[in-house]
Amino acid sequence: MDPLLSALQSRFGLPSFRPGQHELISSILAGRDVLGVLPTGTGKSLCYQLPACLLPGLTLVISPLIALMKDQVSSCIRRGLPAAALYASQPFAEQKQILREAAALRIRLLYVSPERLQSAGFRQALSALPVSLLAIDEAHCISAWGHDFRPAYLEIPDFTALLRKRPVIAAFTATASPEVRRDILQHTGLQHPFCLTTGFDRRNLFYEVRHVRDKRTSLLSLLKQYAGYTGIVYCLTRRTVDAVTRFLNGKHLSAVPYHAGMTDEARAKAQDAWLSGSVPVIVATNAFGMGIDKPDVRYVIHYNMPASPEAYYQEAGRAGRDGLPSDCILLYSPRDVTICRFFIAGAHAPALKEHMEYQLSAMRRYCTGDTCLRATLLQYFGEHALPFCGKCSVCLKTGPFPSPQKPGIEDHTLYRSLIGVRKRISERTGRQPYRILSDRNLHDLAVRRPLKFSEMAAIEDIGLLKTIQYGADFLKEIRAGQSRI
C-alpha cells in the first residue's frame, strides 16, 4: 500500500486524497518547495498537516487570523496531532510554555501570525528550533495586488534566513490571479518550487446575478426560500450589515451580524451561534469567513457587489464545501459601483488605484455582461473555460441548449426531518451539527433509507463510530418515515 495513503487513512480517517494533495505532499516530503493553488474546501491544510506527522522536526504555519489558527489547532488536536498557536493576547507564561513544548517536539504544528515574524524576541526563540517545514497559509496575503494584503507576510524570507537550517517552504492559497501567483513566488523565497493549480471551477456551485431595485424585498424572498438551511449574506459596509440584520430580525428571521466594528466577544458570540446552527443566517462584511470550517453552507448571498473578483470568488466559495449543490447569488445595483469607488479613492498609491479600478471593471463585467458567469470568473483567474456551463443564471437564460433546472437545494420531507434530528442531537450534546453528520451524510441517509445499524454503518463517511453514537435517533426517524409511506 502507498505509505502516504496509509498515513492519510490511519491519521486522518480519510479514504483517499483529493486532486493535487498527493503530489504536493510528496514534493514536500522529498524536500522541495511548493506552491499550491487549490479551491476553497478542497483540503489545503491537509497538505501541511500530513507532512507534519511524518517530518522529523517542527512545522511552523504562518496564518493571518487568530480565529483561523484556533480552529486549525482544535482540528489537529481532535485527530491526535499535537498543535498550538501563539498570539499576542496569550499570557506570557503560556507563550513560553508553548515554545518549550515546540523545542522538545511535543508540539508538531505551531501556528503564528505574520506579525509575529517582526518580533526580535520571537525570531531569536524560533531560530533555535528544529523547523522542518514552513507553511504559508492564505499566501495571497503577501501580494499588494491581492484583496487581503498583509505587509508582515513580506518578512518571511528574512525570517527564514535566521533559522539554523532552511526548512522546506510550502505556500497555499485558494484565490490567486496570475499576477498574485507571480508575487507569491517572488516574495516568499520559494526555490525551484513545484507549482500546482488544481483549477478554480467548483461544479457544485450555481452562480446567479440579479439586477434588483429593492434589495431588501429580494433578500427576504430568497431567505424564505432557503428556510431551514445555513447561509451567509455579505455586505460592503458595517452600516449595511447592521441595517440588514435589524430588517431581517424585524421580519422574524433569525440572523446575527458580524463586522470589525463589533467587540471580539460580540463577534465570537455571533460566529458560535451560526456555527452551532442555532442561528441559520450570518450577515457580514468581508471580515468574516477566512478559514471558517463549516461545510454545510447551502447559499451565499451578496447584498452588494464586492470590489474584486478575488473577493467574490473567495466569499462565494464558502458555499458548498461538502460538495453538495449550493447557490451563490449576487444582488446588483449601479449604486454598488459608487460604493466600491469610494473605497478605491482611499488608496494612496497610483499603481494600486489603477489595479483596483481594473478589478472593479472585471466585477462590473461579471454583473452586467451576457456571457457565462462561471467562464467570466475562470478566465479572470487565467483558466480556460467553456462558453456555456449550464449552471449559472446567464446560461439558463441564453444557453444554446435546452436549459436544465437550477440545481437548488433538496426539499424532500425525510431530508428536512433528518436535519431536525441532527439539530436536537446538537442541542443535547453541544457538538456543532456538521460534526455529528454532514449534509452529505444526511443526503445519503435520505436516499438509501437504512433501517438497521449495520446498513447505516456501511455508508461511506458515516461508519461504525458515528452509527454507535447517533444511529438510534436517525434510524428511528427513517423507520417512522417508512411507516408513513
Side-chain angles (χ1 to χ4, degrees):
M1 185 187 227
D2 178 356
L4 283 187
L5 182 60
S6 177
L8 176 75
Q9 293 173 349
S10 62
R11 296 273 189 162
F12 292 85
L14 298 172
S16 60
F17 287 103
R18 291 177 176 177
Q21 289 179 327
H22 192 282
E23 297 93 323
L24 288 164
I25 293 169
S26 296
S27 296
I28 290 170
L29 293 176
R32 187 175 180 186
D33 291 352
V34 304
L35 169 61
V37 183
L38 295 82
T40 300
T42 55
K44 291 183 292 298
S45 59
L46 180 81
C47 294
Y48 55 81
Q49 289 176 356
L50 182 54
C53 299
L54 305 174
L55 289 168
L58 178 72
T59 293
L60 183 67
V61 185
I62 312 299
S63 183
L65 296 175
I66 291 176
L68 175 54
M69 289 192 279
K70 287 181 175 179
D71 187 74
Q72 291 282 338
V73 168
S74 297
S75 176
C76 289
I77 291 173
R78 281 196 305 272
R79 294 187 172 107
L81 179 56
L86 284 174
Y87 43 89
S89 59
Q90 283 174 319
F92 183 65
E94 184 179 342
Q95 295 181 34
K96 288 186 68 176
Q97 179 61 26
I98 288 173
L99 287 172
R100 283 195 294 268
E101 295 284 312
L105 291 180
R106 288 190 289 269
I107 289 173
R108 304 307 298 268
L109 270 155
L110 179 61
Y111 288 79
V112 300
S113 72
E115 285 73 22
R116 275 271 166 177
L117 306 184
Q118 298 172 322
S119 162
F122 177 76
R123 287 184 174 212
Q124 183 178 0
L126 262 290
S127 65
L129 297 188
V131 180
S132 291
L133 172 63
L134 176 64
I136 307 168
D137 204 4
E138 308 293 348
H140 63 276
C141 294
I142 205 168
S143 173
W145 305 125
H147 61 291
D148 288 317
F149 177 49
R150 291 276 286 273
Y153 269 76
L154 298 172
E155 300 285 334
I156 290 172
D158 288 344
F159 169 77
T160 306
L162 294 174
L163 298 175
R164 65 186 188 187
K165 181 181 178 183
R166 186 187 185 278
V168 178
I169 303 177
F172 299 97
T173 182
T175 314
S177 64
E179 294 86 356
V180 171
R181 292 200 289 273
R182 283 195 291 270
D183 268 4
I184 293 172
L185 291 172
Q186 180 181 351
H187 297 309
T188 54
L190 295 175
Q191 297 178 0
H192 310 293
F194 170 66
C195 300
L196 184 109
T197 301
T198 59
F200 292 89
D201 192 9
R202 298 198 33 218
R203 296 296 298 175
N204 64 309
L205 300 185
F206 177 87
Y207 294 103
E208 181 175 4
V209 174
R210 295 190 181 190
H211 291 239
V212 297
R213 291 185 179 180
D214 186 344
K215 290 195 176 186
R216 288 188 172 188
T217 300
S218 298
L219 177 63
L220 187 62
S221 174
L222 281 168
L223 294 184
K224 287 180 177 177
Q225 173 188 335
Y226 294 126
Y229 295 95
T230 297
I232 306 171
V233 177
Y234 277 109
C235 305
L236 272 177
T237 68
R238 301 174 188 179
R239 177 183 291 183
T240 308
V241 166
D242 291 335
V244 168
T245 305
R246 285 194 302 268
F247 168 73
L248 295 178
N249 290 337
K251 296 294 183 180
H252 307 292
L253 288 176
S254 183
V256 290
Y258 189 105
H259 58 70
M262 299 164 59
T263 65
D264 291 345
E265 183 181 359
R267 284 201 306 273
K269 184 177 179 181
Q271 180 173 303
D272 289 345
W274 181 76
L275 285 172
S276 70
S278 60
V279 176
V281 182
I282 192 163
V283 185
T285 61
N286 62 3
F288 173 78
M290 187 182 286
I292 293 298
D293 182 22
K294 188 167 174 62
D296 59 341
V297 177
R298 294 276 69 87
Y299 62 90
V300 171
I301 298 171
H302 277 80
Y303 193 79
N304 305 109
M305 180 190 75
S308 71
E310 288 93 340
Y312 182 69
Y313 178 84
Q314 188 172 63
E315 291 160 14
R318 286 165 190 142
R321 293 182 61 166
D322 55 8
L324 294 179
S326 304
D327 294 343
C328 307
I329 301 173
L330 195 159
L331 305 179
Y332 173 80
S333 75
R335 175 170 161 71
D336 294 333
V337 179
T338 304
I339 299 173
C340 290
R341 287 228 160 91
F342 173 79
F343 291 123
I344 292 173
H348 299 296
L352 181 57
K353 277 188 177 180
E354 182 179 341
H355 185 72
M356 292 172 74
E357 282 285 357
Y358 166 76
Q359 292 173 314
L360 179 57
S361 296
M363 274 311 300
R364 288 184 68 187
R365 284 195 300 274
Y366 178 84
C367 292
T368 61
D370 58 0
T371 56
C372 169
L373 298 178
R374 179 173 266 98
T376 301
L377 276 179
L378 295 179
Q379 287 165 4
Y380 177 85
F381 288 109
E383 190 168 314
H384 173 73
L386 296 174
F388 178 86
C389 75
K391 288 187 176 181
C392 77
S393 56
V394 172
C395 287
L396 295 192
K397 182 167 59 178
T398 64
F401 314 117
S403 295
Q405 292 295 308
K406 175 181 171 181
I409 295 170
E410 293 187 47
D411 188 19
H412 54 77
T413 303
L414 178 57
Y415 185 80
R416 282 183 178 272
S417 66
L418 294 176
I419 289 176
V421 172
R422 182 177 64 179
K423 184 177 181 182
R424 291 193 293 273
I425 295 173
S426 173
E427 291 168 348
R428 186 176 75 227
T429 63
R431 297 202 73 193
Q432 294 172 352
Y434 65 90
R435 297 201 186 282
I436 295 167
L437 287 182
S438 68
D439 280 12
R440 180 176 290 281
N441 295 152
L442 299 187
H443 167 79
D444 290 342
L445 287 176
V447 170
R448 296 175 64 169
R449 297 174 180 264
L451 300 177
K452 300 177 181 178
F453 282 93
S454 58
E455 294 170 348
M456 180 173 172
I459 296 176
E460 187 177 359
D461 291 336
I462 294 181
L464 182 60
L465 180 59
K466 287 192 174 182
T467 301
I468 292 171
Q469 290 175 307
Y470 313 118
D473 292 332
F474 289 106
L475 291 173
K476 181 180 177 181
E477 188 66 31
I478 293 168
R479 290 166 183 154
Q482 291 286 82
S483 67
R484 290 191 293 265
I485 297 176

